[in-house]
Amino acid sequence: MNNIIEKANAYFDSKKEEMLDLLIKLVNMKSVAEPSLNPDYPMGKDVLKVLNFMLDKGENEGFVTKDYDHYVGGIGLRNLNFKETISLVGHLDVVPAIGEWKYEAYNATIDHGCVIGRGASDDKSAAVIGFYILKCLKELNIQTKHNIALLLGTCEEIGMDDVQHLVKHYGAPKFSLIPDGGFPCGRGEFGRMQILLTSKGKLSSTILDINGGTAFNIIPDYAYAKVSKDLKINKIEGKYDVVEKEDHILIEAHGISKHAGGGGEGAINANTKLVEFLLEQDIPQSDKEILKFILHVNQDGRGTGLEINYEDEVSGYTVCSGTVLRYKEGNVSLLCDCRFAVTQNNEEMLKSIHRVSDRFNYIDSIESNEAPYYLPMENEGVQSLLRVFNKLTGSNVTFIPIMKGGTYASYIPNALSTGNCYMSREDWMKFDFSFLPQGHGGAHQKDEILPIEGFMKAIKLLFAIVLEMDKSI
């Protein structure tokens, strides 16, 4: 097997520029999912265009391809018979590219050893990794016991209806790797809940509009309010802009965006900052009573405000952030992203959310409520991955955590989330992020980056992991 790994590593090195060229082409194709009632493009025309591009490329390379009702695309080494297939699964949709970028979101750049553009790391690099693993197996004539396939989804960022459709109507592979997390892997995922909180009372005419956030799973870095020109503004410290408009005053709050799965660690929630500013103004007390619940909910990122804070030994602590703030006909709503620990009692959570919401004169609505899942450490897929990871990186990992980030592994049976970029802790410590503004560079952030060195290490690791799984599971 060592000889095969050496040949494969040499193959990937020889294809480096080719792989980066494909990644850049994918990044340059804007593909924010836009759900449609048209069955010809259920997740919108943009993401379907990227899916068709990859399926055409797979067919041109001599692979077996299948379009699963425009929700998911499949590219198989020998076939797409899921019963004996190990799959790599990525998604071609991306989160919106909002705010001011240093680089162009859909005109990918290579700078400071990174591919920079929306989707570079989340998750179009996984499509390139899976595709070139298939090409390596084919071109080096490496025989495998299982069929190996690449599955490409179209709406991972907005609910994952794509893979749910796939599993419901076509089944699932024998085992799947989801390169949309970190190395070595995650062997399970927290439960996920979206909580919509809507004020029963209406804001006064002093506040004309309030808005923050674009997606439930992103802690926002921008929020704004429009207030009456009659309001005298009391300036407070912080990243705020106050702009006089013709018929209103615009108040803008700035924060630091992060993925909501992190529970706010390293983030500054612009929704919270905006409400803090408004509460320092001479607005009616009734408005303050409505708005203060926003601060209460977002007080720590762990659900304490809704009395759903919880921690267990199996998975860790629950997180919850109010990410999308809206105004409609005087009412304020806040959509919260919650990732809850695997042993937490769901029924008790719902009771707590309702009780606290009612106390603050809000209506609660559970928009989604997905159960947690995890594979035991003894699972052969977990052990296969660990053996290879420890051997090739010189690590000694003995325990795999359960992850807060939501990936396709939540909906595909026998799946592990793993990485598409591998860099050791020492490598990350030495990595120079100074070329990027603060709050830029991460997945879901502006100027999203993929370190090329880490990408090359990742594809070599994943190839070896696939071969080990092929032998062991």
PDB file of all heavy atoms in Angstrom, residues 145-178:
ATOM      1  N   LYS A 145     -12.018  -2.583  -3.748  1.00  0.00           N
ATOM      2  CA  LYS A 145     -13.086  -3.541  -3.455  1.00  0.00           C
ATOM      3  C   LYS A 145     -14.456  -2.879  -3.608  1.00  0.00           C
ATOM      4  O   LYS A 145     -15.389  -3.467  -4.138  1.00  0.00           O
ATOM      5  CB  LYS A 145     -12.905  -4.072  -2.033  1.00  0.00           C
ATOM      6  CG  LYS A 145     -13.947  -5.088  -1.607  1.00  0.00           C
ATOM      7  CD  LYS A 145     -13.607  -5.672  -0.226  1.00  0.00           C
ATOM      8  CE  LYS A 145     -13.681  -4.623   0.866  1.00  0.00           C
ATOM      9  NZ  LYS A 145     -13.510  -5.212   2.211  1.00  0.00           N
ATOM     10  N   HIS A 146     -14.551  -1.656  -3.130  1.00  0.00           N
ATOM     11  CA  HIS A 146     -15.786  -0.887  -3.233  1.00  0.00           C
ATOM     12  C   HIS A 146     -15.723   0.047  -4.440  1.00  0.00           C
ATOM     13  O   HIS A 146     -14.647   0.446  -4.869  1.00  0.00           O
ATOM     14  CB  HIS A 146     -15.999  -0.031  -1.978  1.00  0.00           C
ATOM     15  CG  HIS A 146     -16.208  -0.805  -0.724  1.00  0.00           C
ATOM     16  ND1 HIS A 146     -15.162  -1.320   0.023  1.00  0.00           N
ATOM     17  CD2 HIS A 146     -17.355  -1.155  -0.059  1.00  0.00           C
ATOM     18  CE1 HIS A 146     -15.635  -1.946   1.084  1.00  0.00           C
ATOM     19  NE2 HIS A 146     -16.966  -1.870   1.046  1.00  0.00           N
ATOM     20  N   ASN A 147     -16.900   0.394  -4.923  1.00  0.00           N
ATOM     21  CA  ASN A 147     -16.957   1.505  -5.862  1.00  0.00           C
ATOM     22  C   ASN A 147     -16.706   2.798  -5.086  1.00  0.00           C
ATOM     23  O   ASN A 147     -17.104   2.928  -3.933  1.00  0.00           O
ATOM     24  CB  ASN A 147     -18.329   1.562  -6.535  1.00  0.00           C
ATOM     25  CG  ASN A 147     -18.447   2.722  -7.485  1.00  0.00           C
ATOM     26  OD1 ASN A 147     -17.636   2.860  -8.399  1.00  0.00           O
ATOM     27  ND2 ASN A 147     -19.443   3.567  -7.291  1.00  0.00           N
ATOM     28  N   ILE A 148     -16.022   3.744  -5.702  1.00  0.00           N
ATOM     29  CA  ILE A 148     -15.772   5.046  -5.080  1.00  0.00           C
ATOM     30  C   ILE A 148     -16.530   6.091  -5.892  1.00  0.00           C
ATOM     31  O   ILE A 148     -16.512   6.071  -7.120  1.00  0.00           O
ATOM     32  CB  ILE A 148     -14.266   5.388  -5.056  1.00  0.00           C
ATOM     33  CG1 ILE A 148     -13.451   4.201  -4.518  1.00  0.00           C
ATOM     34  CG2 ILE A 148     -14.024   6.640  -4.218  1.00  0.00           C
ATOM     35  CD1 ILE A 148     -13.798   3.759  -3.106  1.00  0.00           C
ATOM     36  N   ALA A 149     -17.197   7.010  -5.205  1.00  0.00           N
ATOM     37  CA  ALA A 149     -18.019   7.998  -5.899  1.00  0.00           C
ATOM     38  C   ALA A 149     -17.890   9.370  -5.253  1.00  0.00           C
ATOM     39  O   ALA A 149     -17.511   9.505  -4.081  1.00  0.00           O
ATOM     40  CB  ALA A 149     -19.485   7.565  -5.916  1.00  0.00           C
ATOM     41  N   LEU A 150     -18.207  10.378  -6.045  1.00  0.00           N
ATOM     42  CA  LEU A 150     -18.302  11.763  -5.574  1.00  0.00           C
ATOM     43  C   LEU A 150     -19.753  12.193  -5.701  1.00  0.00           C
ATOM     44  O   LEU A 150     -20.356  12.071  -6.773  1.00  0.00           O
ATOM     45  CB  LEU A 150     -17.406  12.672  -6.422  1.00  0.00           C
ATOM     46  CG  LEU A 150     -17.570  14.187  -6.237  1.00  0.00           C
ATOM     47  CD1 LEU A 150     -17.195  14.603  -4.810  1.00  0.00           C
ATOM     48  CD2 LEU A 150     -16.720  14.940  -7.265  1.00  0.00           C
ATOM     49  N   LEU A 151     -20.327  12.680  -4.599  1.00  0.00           N
ATOM     50  CA  LEU A 151     -21.679  13.226  -4.602  1.00  0.00           C
ATOM     51  C   LEU A 151     -21.611  14.721  -4.343  1.00  0.00           C
ATOM     52  O   LEU A 151     -20.879  15.167  -3.444  1.00  0.00           O
ATOM     53  CB  LEU A 151     -22.549  12.544  -3.542  1.00  0.00           C
ATOM     54  CG  LEU A 151     -22.765  11.040  -3.708  1.00  0.00           C
ATOM     55  CD1 LEU A 151     -23.578  10.481  -2.542  1.00  0.00           C
ATOM     56  CD2 LEU A 151     -23.450  10.740  -5.030  1.00  0.00           C
ATOM     57  N   LEU A 152     -22.358  15.486  -5.119  1.00  0.00           N
ATOM     58  CA  LEU A 152     -22.300  16.939  -5.040  1.00  0.00           C
ATOM     59  C   LEU A 152     -23.688  17.512  -4.803  1.00  0.00           C
ATOM     60  O   LEU A 152     -24.594  17.327  -5.616  1.00  0.00           O
ATOM     61  CB  LEU A 152     -21.706  17.509  -6.335  1.00  0.00           C
ATOM     62  CG  LEU A 152     -20.264  17.078  -6.619  1.00  0.00           C
ATOM     63  CD1 LEU A 152     -19.866  17.451  -8.029  1.00  0.00           C
ATOM     64  CD2 LEU A 152     -19.315  17.699  -5.602  1.00  0.00           C
ATOM     65  N   GLY A 153     -23.856  18.193  -3.666  1.00  0.00           N
ATOM     66  CA  GLY A 153     -25.138  18.755  -3.297  1.00  0.00           C
ATOM     67  C   GLY A 153     -25.299  20.199  -3.723  1.00  0.00           C
ATOM     68  O   GLY A 153     -24.336  20.862  -4.142  1.00  0.00           O
ATOM     69  N   THR A 154     -26.539  20.698  -3.565  1.00  0.00           N
ATOM     70  CA  THR A 154     -26.868  22.023  -4.081  1.00  0.00           C
ATOM     71  C   THR A 154     -27.479  22.981  -3.062  1.00  0.00           C
ATOM     72  O   THR A 154     -27.718  24.139  -3.383  1.00  0.00           O
ATOM     73  CB  THR A 154     -27.861  21.889  -5.252  1.00  0.00           C
ATOM     74  OG1 THR A 154     -29.029  21.184  -4.779  1.00  0.00           O
ATOM     75  CG2 THR A 154     -27.244  21.144  -6.427  1.00  0.00           C
ATOM     76  N   CYS A 155     -27.740  22.523  -1.830  1.00  0.00           N
ATOM     77  CA  CYS A 155     -28.333  23.470  -0.857  1.00  0.00           C
ATOM     78  C   CYS A 155     -27.913  23.141   0.574  1.00  0.00           C
ATOM     79  O   CYS A 155     -28.725  23.198   1.494  1.00  0.00           O
ATOM     80  CB  CYS A 155     -29.859  23.509  -0.991  1.00  0.00           C
ATOM     81  SG  CYS A 155     -30.716  21.994  -0.526  1.00  0.00           S
ATOM     82  N   GLU A 156     -26.653  22.848   0.762  1.00  0.00           N
ATOM     83  CA  GLU A 156     -26.154  22.543   2.103  1.00  0.00           C
ATOM     84  C   GLU A 156     -26.307  23.732   3.039  1.00  0.00           C
ATOM     85  O   GLU A 156     -26.583  23.564   4.235  1.00  0.00           O
ATOM     86  CB  GLU A 156     -24.675  22.127   2.013  1.00  0.00           C
ATOM     87  CG  GLU A 156     -24.124  21.487   3.274  1.00  0.00           C
ATOM     88  CD  GLU A 156     -23.524  22.471   4.260  1.00  0.00           C
ATOM     89  OE1 GLU A 156     -23.405  23.676   3.926  1.00  0.00           O
ATOM     90  OE2 GLU A 156     -23.162  22.052   5.371  1.00  0.00           O
ATOM     91  N   GLU A 157     -26.136  24.932   2.507  1.00  0.00           N
ATOM     92  CA  GLU A 157     -26.135  26.128   3.350  1.00  0.00           C
ATOM     93  C   GLU A 157     -27.527  26.561   3.784  1.00  0.00           C
ATOM     94  O   GLU A 157     -27.664  27.409   4.667  1.00  0.00           O
ATOM     95  CB  GLU A 157     -25.451  27.287   2.618  1.00  0.00           C
ATOM     96  CG  GLU A 157     -23.990  27.035   2.246  1.00  0.00           C
ATOM     97  CD  GLU A 157     -23.058  26.981   3.445  1.00  0.00           C
ATOM     98  OE1 GLU A 157     -23.541  27.111   4.589  1.00  0.00           O
ATOM     99  OE2 GLU A 157     -21.847  26.811   3.234  1.00  0.00           O
ATOM    100  N   ILE A 158     -28.582  26.011   3.180  1.00  0.00           N
ATOM    101  CA  ILE A 158     -29.939  26.481   3.507  1.00  0.00           C
ATOM    102  C   ILE A 158     -30.886  25.339   3.838  1.00  0.00           C
ATOM    103  O   ILE A 158     -32.049  25.369   3.461  1.00  0.00           O
ATOM    104  CB  ILE A 158     -30.513  27.362   2.384  1.00  0.00           C
ATOM    105  CG1 ILE A 158     -30.560  26.592   1.049  1.00  0.00           C
ATOM    106  CG2 ILE A 158     -29.746  28.648   2.228  1.00  0.00           C
ATOM    107  CD1 ILE A 158     -31.426  27.267   0.005  1.00  0.00           C
ATOM    108  N   GLY A 159     -30.398  24.323   4.541  1.00  0.00           N
ATOM    109  CA  GLY A 159     -31.301  23.304   5.046  1.00  0.00           C
ATOM    110  C   GLY A 159     -31.039  21.873   4.627  1.00  0.00           C
ATOM    111  O   GLY A 159     -31.588  20.946   5.196  1.00  0.00           O
ATOM    112  N   MET A 160     -30.220  21.663   3.574  1.00  0.00           N
ATOM    113  CA  MET A 160     -29.816  20.314   3.169  1.00  0.00           C
ATOM    114  C   MET A 160     -30.970  19.458   2.670  1.00  0.00           C
ATOM    115  O   MET A 160     -30.976  18.234   2.815  1.00  0.00           O
ATOM    116  CB  MET A 160     -29.066  19.610   4.306  1.00  0.00           C
ATOM    117  CG  MET A 160     -27.930  20.422   4.870  1.00  0.00           C
ATOM    118  SD  MET A 160     -26.878  19.493   6.006  1.00  0.00           S
ATOM    119  CE  MET A 160     -26.169  20.836   6.974  1.00  0.00           C
ATOM    120  N   ASP A 161     -31.953  20.087   2.037  1.00  0.00           N
ATOM    121  CA  ASP A 161     -33.028  19.314   1.411  1.00  0.00           C
ATOM    122  C   ASP A 161     -32.488  18.415   0.308  1.00  0.00           C
ATOM    123  O   ASP A 161     -33.119  17.404  -0.034  1.00  0.00           O
ATOM    124  CB  ASP A 161     -34.086  20.250   0.815  1.00  0.00           C
ATOM    125  CG  ASP A 161     -34.921  20.947   1.878  1.00  0.00           C
ATOM    126  OD1 ASP A 161     -34.866  20.514   3.044  1.00  0.00           O
ATOM    127  OD2 ASP A 161     -35.616  21.915   1.535  1.00  0.00           O
ATOM    128  N   ASP A 162     -31.341  18.778  -0.247  1.00  0.00           N
ATOM    129  CA  ASP A 162     -30.766  18.020  -1.362  1.00  0.00           C
ATOM    130  C   ASP A 162     -30.429  16.587  -0.965  1.00  0.00           C
ATOM    131  O   ASP A 162     -30.888  15.629  -1.596  1.00  0.00           O
ATOM    132  CB  ASP A 162     -29.542  18.739  -1.938  1.00  0.00           C
ATOM    133  CG  ASP A 162     -28.559  19.215  -0.872  1.00  0.00           C
ATOM    134  OD1 ASP A 162     -28.815  19.022   0.343  1.00  0.00           O
ATOM    135  OD2 ASP A 162     -27.517  19.781  -1.246  1.00  0.00           O
ATOM    136  N   VAL A 163     -29.638  16.414   0.088  1.00  0.00           N
ATOM    137  CA  VAL A 163     -29.261  15.049   0.472  1.00  0.00           C
ATOM    138  C   VAL A 163     -30.408  14.321   1.156  1.00  0.00           C
ATOM    139  O   VAL A 163     -30.482  13.084   1.103  1.00  0.00           O
ATOM    140  CB  VAL A 163     -27.988  15.027   1.351  1.00  0.00           C
ATOM    141  CG1 VAL A 163     -26.775  15.484   0.561  1.00  0.00           C
ATOM    142  CG2 VAL A 163     -28.158  15.851   2.614  1.00  0.00           C
ATOM    143  N   GLN A 164     -31.320  15.052   1.775  1.00  0.00           N
ATOM    144  CA  GLN A 164     -32.507  14.404   2.322  1.00  0.00           C
ATOM    145  C   GLN A 164     -33.344  13.804   1.187  1.00  0.00           C
ATOM    146  O   GLN A 164     -33.874  12.694   1.312  1.00  0.00           O
ATOM    147  CB  GLN A 164     -33.330  15.404   3.129  1.00  0.00           C
ATOM    148  CG  GLN A 164     -32.627  15.890   4.391  1.00  0.00           C
ATOM    149  CD  GLN A 164     -33.459  16.873   5.188  1.00  0.00           C
ATOM    150  OE1 GLN A 164     -34.469  16.523   5.786  1.00  0.00           O
ATOM    151  NE2 GLN A 164     -33.042  18.126   5.190  1.00  0.00           N
ATOM    152  N   HIS A 165     -33.442  14.530   0.089  1.00  0.00           N
ATOM    153  CA  HIS A 165     -34.135  14.025  -1.100  1.00  0.00           C
ATOM    154  C   HIS A 165     -33.421  12.783  -1.641  1.00  0.00           C
ATOM    155  O   HIS A 165     -34.056  11.785  -1.990  1.00  0.00           O
ATOM    156  CB  HIS A 165     -34.178  15.123  -2.168  1.00  0.00           C
ATOM    157  CG  HIS A 165     -34.826  14.707  -3.449  1.00  0.00           C
ATOM    158  ND1 HIS A 165     -36.175  14.864  -3.693  1.00  0.00           N
ATOM    159  CD2 HIS A 165     -34.310  14.122  -4.568  1.00  0.00           C
ATOM    160  CE1 HIS A 165     -36.462  14.399  -4.896  1.00  0.00           C
ATOM    161  NE2 HIS A 165     -35.357  13.950  -5.453  1.00  0.00           N
ATOM    162  N   LEU A 166     -32.097  12.852  -1.697  1.00  0.00           N
ATOM    163  CA  LEU A 166     -31.301  11.729  -2.203  1.00  0.00           C
ATOM    164  C   LEU A 166     -31.535  10.469  -1.381  1.00  0.00           C
ATOM    165  O   LEU A 166     -31.830   9.397  -1.924  1.00  0.00           O
ATOM    166  CB  LEU A 166     -29.816  12.092  -2.189  1.00  0.00           C
ATOM    167  CG  LEU A 166     -28.858  10.988  -2.640  1.00  0.00           C
ATOM    168  CD1 LEU A 166     -28.843  10.881  -4.150  1.00  0.00           C
ATOM    169  CD2 LEU A 166     -27.453  11.235  -2.103  1.00  0.00           C
ATOM    170  N   VAL A 167     -31.392  10.586  -0.067  1.00  0.00           N
ATOM    171  CA  VAL A 167     -31.518   9.420   0.821  1.00  0.00           C
ATOM    172  C   VAL A 167     -32.943   8.857   0.775  1.00  0.00           C
ATOM    173  O   VAL A 167     -33.144   7.638   0.750  1.00  0.00           O
ATOM    174  CB  VAL A 167     -31.105   9.798   2.255  1.00  0.00           C
ATOM    175  CG1 VAL A 167     -31.421   8.665   3.226  1.00  0.00           C
ATOM    176  CG2 VAL A 167     -29.622  10.140   2.306  1.00  0.00           C
ATOM    177  N   LYS A 168     -33.928   9.739   0.749  1.00  0.00           N
ATOM    178  CA  LYS A 168     -35.323   9.297   0.740  1.00  0.00           C
ATOM    179  C   LYS A 168     -35.671   8.535  -0.541  1.00  0.00           C
ATOM    180  O   LYS A 168     -36.345   7.496  -0.489  1.00  0.00           O
ATOM    181  CB  LYS A 168     -36.249  10.502   0.893  1.00  0.00           C
ATOM    182  CG  LYS A 168     -37.730  10.146   0.873  1.00  0.00           C
ATOM    183  CD  LYS A 168     -38.601  11.384   1.040  1.00  0.00           C
ATOM    184  CE  LYS A 168     -40.086  11.027   0.989  1.00  0.00           C
ATOM    185  NZ  LYS A 168     -40.948  12.229   1.155  1.00  0.00           N
ATOM    186  N   HIS A 169     -35.198   9.015  -1.686  1.00  0.00           N
ATOM    187  CA  HIS A 169     -35.639   8.449  -2.965  1.00  0.00           C
ATOM    188  C   HIS A 169     -34.638   7.477  -3.593  1.00  0.00           C
ATOM    189  O   HIS A 169     -35.027   6.654  -4.418  1.00  0.00           O
ATOM    190  CB  HIS A 169     -35.926   9.579  -3.946  1.00  0.00           C
ATOM    191  CG  HIS A 169     -37.074  10.454  -3.543  1.00  0.00           C
ATOM    192  ND1 HIS A 169     -38.383  10.059  -3.671  1.00  0.00           N
ATOM    193  CD2 HIS A 169     -37.094  11.694  -2.985  1.00  0.00           C
ATOM    194  CE1 HIS A 169     -39.177  11.026  -3.210  1.00  0.00           C
ATOM    195  NE2 HIS A 169     -38.423  12.028  -2.796  1.00  0.00           N
ATOM    196  N   TYR A 170     -33.363   7.560  -3.178  1.00  0.00           N
ATOM    197  CA  TYR A 170     -32.352   6.737  -3.835  1.00  0.00           C
ATOM    198  C   TYR A 170     -31.482   5.938  -2.864  1.00  0.00           C
ATOM    199  O   TYR A 170     -30.670   5.127  -3.293  1.00  0.00           O
ATOM    200  CB  TYR A 170     -31.444   7.617  -4.703  1.00  0.00           C
ATOM    201  CG  TYR A 170     -32.189   8.327  -5.805  1.00  0.00           C
ATOM    202  CD1 TYR A 170     -32.648   9.637  -5.625  1.00  0.00           C
ATOM    203  CD2 TYR A 170     -32.457   7.694  -7.017  1.00  0.00           C
ATOM    204  CE1 TYR A 170     -33.341  10.298  -6.631  1.00  0.00           C
ATOM    205  CE2 TYR A 170     -33.142   8.352  -8.032  1.00  0.00           C
ATOM    206  CZ  TYR A 170     -33.582   9.650  -7.834  1.00  0.00           C
ATOM    207  OH  TYR A 170     -34.272  10.303  -8.833  1.00  0.00           O
ATOM    208  N   GLY A 171     -31.632   6.188  -1.571  1.00  0.00           N
ATOM    209  CA  GLY A 171     -30.799   5.487  -0.601  1.00  0.00           C
ATOM    210  C   GLY A 171     -29.497   6.228  -0.336  1.00  0.00           C
ATOM    211  O   GLY A 171     -29.289   7.364  -0.791  1.00  0.00           O
ATOM    212  N   ALA A 172     -28.603   5.566   0.401  1.00  0.00           N
ATOM    213  CA  ALA A 172     -27.334   6.186   0.792  1.00  0.00           C
ATOM    214  C   ALA A 172     -26.185   5.215   0.548  1.00  0.00           C
ATOM    215  O   ALA A 172     -26.367   3.991   0.574  1.00  0.00           O
ATOM    216  CB  ALA A 172     -27.374   6.574   2.271  1.00  0.00           C
ATOM    217  N   PRO A 173     -24.976   5.749   0.330  1.00  0.00           N
ATOM    218  CA  PRO A 173     -23.804   4.878   0.172  1.00  0.00           C
ATOM    219  C   PRO A 173     -23.536   4.051   1.436  1.00  0.00           C
ATOM    220  O   PRO A 173     -24.046   4.344   2.518  1.00  0.00           O
ATOM    221  CB  PRO A 173     -22.669   5.872  -0.089  1.00  0.00           C
ATOM    222  CG  PRO A 173     -23.349   7.094  -0.626  1.00  0.00           C
ATOM    223  CD  PRO A 173     -24.658   7.168   0.099  1.00  0.00           C
ATOM    224  N   LYS A 174     -22.715   3.043   1.265  1.00  0.00           N
ATOM    225  CA  LYS A 174     -22.337   2.193   2.392  1.00  0.00           C
ATOM    226  C   LYS A 174     -21.624   3.012   3.466  1.00  0.00           C
ATOM    227  O   LYS A 174     -21.858   2.829   4.669  1.00  0.00           O
ATOM    228  CB  LYS A 174     -21.432   1.058   1.908  1.00  0.00           C
ATOM    229  CG  LYS A 174     -21.030   0.070   2.992  1.00  0.00           C
ATOM    230  CD  LYS A 174     -20.204  -1.057   2.398  1.00  0.00           C
ATOM    231  CE  LYS A 174     -19.786  -2.069   3.467  1.00  0.00           C
ATOM    232  NZ  LYS A 174     -18.980  -3.174   2.855  1.00  0.00           N
ATOM    233  N   PHE A 175     -20.763   3.917   3.039  1.00  0.00           N
ATOM    234  CA  PHE A 175     -20.075   4.809   3.980  1.00  0.00           C
ATOM    235  C   PHE A 175     -19.728   6.087   3.226  1.00  0.00           C
ATOM    236  O   PHE A 175     -19.458   6.053   2.027  1.00  0.00           O
ATOM    237  CB  PHE A 175     -18.805   4.175   4.545  1.00  0.00           C
ATOM    238  CG  PHE A 175     -18.398   4.745   5.876  1.00  0.00           C
ATOM    239  CD1 PHE A 175     -18.840   4.163   7.046  1.00  0.00           C
ATOM    240  CD2 PHE A 175     -17.610   5.891   5.958  1.00  0.00           C
ATOM    241  CE1 PHE A 175     -18.497   4.691   8.286  1.00  0.00           C
ATOM    242  CE2 PHE A 175     -17.258   6.429   7.186  1.00  0.00           C
ATOM    243  CZ  PHE A 175     -17.706   5.825   8.357  1.00  0.00           C
ATOM    244  N   SER A 176     -19.743   7.213   3.942  1.00  0.00           N
ATOM    245  CA  SER A 176     -19.465   8.504   3.298  1.00  0.00           C
ATOM    246  C   SER A 176     -18.509   9.347   4.123  1.00  0.00           C
ATOM    247  O   SER A 176     -18.558   9.340   5.358  1.00  0.00           O
ATOM    248  CB  SER A 176     -20.767   9.293   3.092  1.00  0.00           C
ATOM    249  OG  SER A 176     -21.627   8.631   2.192  1.00  0.00           O
ATOM    250  N   LEU A 177     -17.667  10.072   3.408  1.00  0.00           N
ATOM    251  CA  LEU A 177     -16.792  11.080   3.999  1.00  0.00           C
ATOM    252  C   LEU A 177     -17.252  12.441   3.500  1.00  0.00           C
ATOM    253  O   LEU A 177     -17.456  12.636   2.304  1.00  0.00           O
ATOM    254  CB  LEU A 177     -15.339  10.851   3.585  1.00  0.00           C
ATOM    255  CG  LEU A 177     -14.649   9.620   4.160  1.00  0.00           C
ATOM    256  CD1 LEU A 177     -13.319   9.374   3.454  1.00  0.00           C
ATOM    257  CD2 LEU A 177     -14.423   9.792   5.666  1.00  0.00           C
ATOM    258  N   ILE A 178     -17.396  13.387   4.428  1.00  0.00           N
ATOM    259  CA  ILE A 178     -17.888  14.726   4.099  1.00  0.00           C
ATOM    260  C   ILE A 178     -16.753  15.725   4.350  1.00  0.00           C
ATOM    261  O   ILE A 178     -16.555  16.174   5.486  1.00  0.00           O
ATOM    262  CB  ILE A 178     -19.105  15.115   4.969  1.00  0.00           C
ATOM    263  CG1 ILE A 178     -20.047  13.925   5.188  1.00  0.00           C
ATOM    264  CG2 ILE A 178     -19.805  16.323   4.388  1.00  0.00           C
ATOM    265  CD1 ILE A 178     -20.824  13.482   3.996  1.00  0.00           C
TER     266      ILE A 178
END
